[in-house]
Amino acid sequence: MTTGGLIVLIIFYVLYKLSKRETNKKFDNYDMTKVSLKKLSEDAGKSAAYKRAKMVRGGYDKDDKWKI
């Protein structure tokens, strides 16, 4: 592997870690009163990372259809 390739790998790794840290930070400070437990339970078999990312995007927020 060349030096340039190694630098590119390091850059991608740093960007990945920054993105993951930002998602975790948003998840830790998320208002859980907005979360619909019914929507969350539908993804019971999914990974924790998937559920964390979906929650940060607002995928589990309560709406007119899902009150619980």
Side-chain angles (χ1 to χ4, degrees):
M1 179 175 286
T2 65
T3 306
L6 185 61
I7 291 172
V8 169
L9 280 175
I10 291 171
I11 290 172
F12 279 127
Y13 179 75
V14 168
L15 289 175
Y16 168 75
K17 284 297 194 180
L18 288 174
S19 172
K20 190 171 180 177
R21 187 178 74 179
E22 186 65 27
T23 299
N24 288 338
K25 183 177 165 185
K26 288 179 183 177
F27 176 75
D28 290 340
N29 296 319
Y30 198 77
D31 182 15
M32 294 302 287
T33 60
K34 298 188 322 183
V35 175
S36 169
L37 296 177
K38 177 98 170 132
K39 285 183 178 181
L40 186 60
S41 66
E42 289 179 345
D43 288 337
K46 308 284 182 172
S47 70
Y50 172 83
K51 290 187 275 189
R52 185 179 300 122
K54 188 172 179 180
M55 185 179 293
V56 170
R57 287 192 318 263
Y60 296 124
D61 288 356
K62 294 178 183 176
D63 55 18
D64 292 334
K65 182 179 176 186
W66 303 95
K67 297 293 182 186
I68 297 175

